[in-house]
Amino acid sequence: MSSQKQVRVRFAPSPTGGLHLGGVRTALFNYLFAKHHGGEFILRIEDTDQTRFVPGAEEYIMECLAWCGLNPDESPAKEGKFGPYRQSERKPSYRQYAEQLVAAGKAYYAFDTPEELDQQRQLQPNFRYSHENRLDLRNSLSLSDEETAKLLAEGAPHTIRIKMPEDEHVSFEDMIRGRVTFETKLVDDKVLLKADGMPTYHLAVVVDDHAMEISHVFRGEEWLPSAPVHILLWEYLGWKDEMPEWAHLPLILKPDGNGKLSKRDGDRLGFPVYAMNWTDPKTGDLTVGFRERGFLPEAFVNMLALLGWNDGTDQELFHMEELIEKFSVDRISKAGAKFDFEKAKWYNQEWIKQTLNADLLPQVNAVLKEHGVEADDNFTNSILDLVKERLIYIEDFWEQASFFYIKPAQYDVDAVKPKWNADKTAFFQDVAKTFAEQDTWTAEALEPLFKDKIAASGMKMGELMMPFRIMLVGGKFGPDVFKITELLGKEAVLDRIQAALPQFEG
């Protein structure tokens, strides 16, 4: 990394829909790099394609970043001295640079209508506007200066295209991939300014990165084919010495490694690929996100950081502060990273285990509220101590602990009923009587009491422990049965024994 540069990086998404985990990882790597070097992380909204703009998408992007703890130093919501931070609001600046390129002979006006271009595509299935055919099409290179001036004076719709060199090589040093070289003859003459006066990504990204003094660009490897266009624009606009350093991140691959992970893969295989819930405003279709699936933001960020990066050790769990401290570009892999949802769940489980109860309580209370339950925080806190290690998602709390809040509606008696007899009924009636007289209601006091009674009865431990658990929770699951007994309290335990006995006898 160039030591003279003040590090300024940007995450520049388009507000077109839900935020894919690949997009969040791009934001994360930008953020980690900036913070590691004491630099600034900027959010810029690339909304130049008004046909794809989706209402609410910009706010959604900002909420995703906030949930992940990736708070921009500058953004549409936090203006700095390099604003505005929406490309649509920077529109006047782009045409002057496009015209500057035309004047320098590095770009040209193209008057072809969409219908004419469609006709070309029908004639040539692999049609691309390039040095091979540009003189056969309607543009300021094929038309006379007079014809061009006349069309412009008449306000004829036109685009401005870059004039790619016919046979040159364009090279740059990628921070991840090393030396990368392109042949310009294989690259078409990309549109820089559209007929509506809005820039395409190619022009806007270069103009804005220059205006915002961006020092380093992290983006997905799918943008590599565009790199020669962008490098030439930096050169043609006279800014080559100020061009940022580039890093093209490896793809996040499907679980089988065959191709880029898509939303369809998540739908097909039953896991989220968006950071948060996204509802398509046109169709109303809901796509579930990691947040609503029950992932902690720390787990989501930790999982993403290790998709294509590691610190060179076997460590897998990282706090944000550790990621910032240890992040280095030379540890980013060139190869694509396979997404493993089972591993993602493991991260979440591990993070739930090590997160303080106080930080989990708001989300746990939200789960309880969904089920119509309001409870004392101290009570829920004690339950969390017992079941936290069993949770993969926060929402699992209800499955693991609902019996603490509501009496079982049914009992898993199939394993117990065939061997049930009058002696067992009498045993539990006796236990209930002893429990009713018990003053010290703790697991430590109740466990020896219960086990002494089993020993005195002459029956086996397993024959009576399992029924007791089922009486309290409804099934053969849950934490230590005497911890459950303690937390439920005397009244609830006695009530549940009496309620369950007829089910066992019937």
Side-chain angles (χ1 to χ4, degrees):
M1 192 198 87
S2 178
S3 58
Q4 297 90 342
K5 286 183 180 177
Q6 159 67 26
V7 171
R8 286 177 56 80
V9 301
R10 48 68 173 176
F11 176 52
S14 298
T16 55
L19 192 54
H20 185 281
L21 58 89
V24 186
R25 189 192 62 173
T26 298
L28 174 62
F29 282 12
N30 272 288
Y31 180 86
L32 295 177
F33 183 81
K35 297 308 162 188
H36 181 83
H37 293 286
E40 291 162 328
F41 170 62
I42 294 109
L43 172 65
R44 186 174 73 218
I45 300 296
E46 302 209 336
D47 58 349
T48 56
D49 189 346
Q50 294 295 293
T51 61
R52 297 180 64 223
F53 175 79
V54 176
E58 180 184 314
E59 293 77 9
Y60 168 90
I61 289 165
M62 291 186 185
E63 193 180 342
C64 285
L65 293 181
W67 177 63
C68 293
L70 307 178
N71 299 308
D73 298 294
E74 301 165 30
S75 73
K78 190 181 179 184
E79 292 274 338
K81 63 179 182 178
F82 295 91
Y85 293 88
R86 293 184 191 91
Q87 284 186 332
S88 58
E89 295 172 10
R90 303 173 71 88
K91 183 177 174 180
S93 69
Y94 302 116
R95 178 167 282 279
Q96 72 177 84
Y97 293 113
E99 297 285 2
Q100 180 183 320
L101 291 165
V102 174
K106 303 299 186 184
Y108 57 92
Y109 302 112
F111 299 96
D112 318 86
T113 65
E115 292 75 23
E116 288 169 341
L117 292 175
D118 282 342
Q119 192 175 5
Q120 290 293 335
R121 291 186 190 99
Q122 287 169 15
L123 293 170
Q124 304 174 55
N126 297 317
F127 170 76
R128 53 191 197 105
Y129 212 122
S130 70
H131 69 91
E132 295 172 336
N133 57 13
R134 60 170 76 116
L135 294 179
D136 301 323
L137 299 164
R138 291 183 68 237
N139 54 60
S140 57
L141 300 178
S142 62
L143 301 171
S144 67
D145 291 347
E146 293 74 21
E147 287 176 292
T148 298
K150 182 171 180 289
L151 285 168
L152 291 173
E154 292 170 351
H158 63 277
T159 62
I160 293 179
R161 290 179 178 270
I162 188 171
K163 184 183 177 187
M164 289 298 289
E166 289 184 28
D167 196 15
E168 289 184 14
H169 289 83
V170 175
S171 300
F172 75 98
E173 287 293 329
D174 188 282
M175 289 189 284
I176 296 170
R177 295 157 199 283
R179 193 92 178 143
V180 183
T181 301
F182 299 90
E183 295 182 68
T184 57
K185 67 182 179 184
L186 302 177
V187 184
D188 51 328
D189 292 353
K190 302 289 187 190
V191 173
L192 302 179
L193 202 74
K194 293 178 280 192
D196 63 2
M198 289 295 276
T200 61
Y201 173 79
H202 304 295
L203 178 63
V205 74
V206 171
V207 170
D208 288 344
D209 282 351
H210 177 260
M212 292 182 172
E213 298 180 10
I214 299 303
S215 64
H216 300 79
V217 170
F218 290 81
R219 62 185 187 182
E221 71 173 34
E222 62 267 31
W223 289 107
L224 258 177
S226 301
V229 176
H230 301 166
I231 289 166
L232 287 176
L233 286 174
W234 278 94
E235 181 182 326
Y236 293 167
L237 289 166
W239 303 332
K240 193 169 185 181
D241 291 344
E242 300 159 75
M243 189 171 79
E245 294 180 54
W246 298 27
H248 287 84
L249 302 173
L251 293 175
I252 297 179
L253 304 174
K254 302 173 194 279
D256 63 7
N258 294 319
K260 183 180 175 182
L261 180 72
S262 72
K263 175 182 169 296
R264 286 188 301 277
D265 297 315
D267 293 342
R268 179 172 56 88
L269 298 169
F271 57 72
V273 295
Y274 286 173
M276 297 180 346
N277 273 8
W278 170 253
T279 302
D280 188 310
K282 289 181 182 173
T283 64
D285 291 343
L286 170 68
T287 303
V288 175
F290 279 88
R291 182 178 74 172
E292 289 76 11
R293 187 69 177 262
F295 275 77
L296 297 180
E298 296 87 350
F300 181 60
V301 165
N302 192 161
M303 177 269 295
L304 278 185
L306 273 77
L307 274 176
W309 174 87
N310 67 76
D311 73 337
T313 73
D314 292 332
Q315 183 176 341
E316 293 188 281
L317 298 178
F318 293 86
H319 292 268
M320 182 71 86
E321 294 73 20
E322 286 181 288
L323 289 172
I324 290 168
E325 180 191 340
K326 297 188 175 187
F327 188 78
S328 63
V329 178
D330 59 4
R331 297 297 314 175
I332 298 175
S333 169
K334 296 183 184 69
K338 283 195 281 191
F339 177 68
D340 180 349
F341 189 57
E342 291 305 310
K343 187 68 174 181
K345 291 195 297 187
W346 177 84
Y347 278 112
N348 206 49
Q349 188 170 21
E350 291 302 310
W351 268 98
I352 287 173
K353 284 180 194 174
Q354 63 176 260
T355 300
L356 294 173
N357 287 5
D359 295 328
L360 296 176
L361 268 174
Q363 296 168 76
V364 170
N365 282 334
V367 171
L368 291 174
K369 193 173 181 181
E370 280 176 28
H371 293 276
V373 171
E374 283 193 30
D376 175 71
D377 279 355
N378 290 329
F379 181 56
T380 299
N381 190 63
S382 298
I383 295 164
L384 258 176
D385 285 335
L386 289 184
V387 303
K388 195 157 76 168
E389 296 211 351
R390 299 163 180 264
L391 308 182
I392 294 174
Y393 309 117
I394 296 296
E395 64 191 31
D396 292 342
F397 182 81
W398 184 252
E399 185 183 339
Q400 293 291 339
S402 60
F403 59 84
F404 282 108
Y405 301 91
I406 54 173
K407 190 160 72 173
Q410 54 191 38
Y411 301 88
D412 180 9
V413 296
D414 290 347
V416 177
K417 224 172 179 180
K419 297 178 182 177
W420 198 260
N421 56 39
D423 289 345
K424 291 179 181 176
T425 299
F427 173 84
F428 281 101
Q429 287 171 337
D430 184 38
V431 164
K433 186 180 174 187
T434 305
F435 276 0
E437 297 165 355
Q438 182 68 13
D439 292 327
T440 307
W441 197 262
T442 63
E444 292 74 21
L446 296 168
E447 182 172 359
L449 193 84
F450 190 87
K451 289 182 175 177
D452 286 347
K453 285 202 165 291
I454 293 176
S457 74
M459 288 184 272
K460 293 177 182 175
M461 188 80 70
E463 287 183 84
L464 297 168
M465 290 291 283
M466 183 60 75
F468 184 43
R469 177 179 292 279
I470 295 171
M471 287 174 182
L472 299 185
V473 309
K476 297 177 283 187
F477 64 93
D480 180 85
V481 72
F482 296 103
K483 290 286 188 187
I484 295 171
T485 308
E486 177 184 331
L487 276 177
L488 281 174
K490 184 189 292 189
E491 189 179 329
V493 169
L494 297 177
D495 178 51
R496 292 187 186 197
I497 292 173
Q498 296 305 329
L501 277 175
Q503 306 288 328
F504 288 68
E505 295 167 333

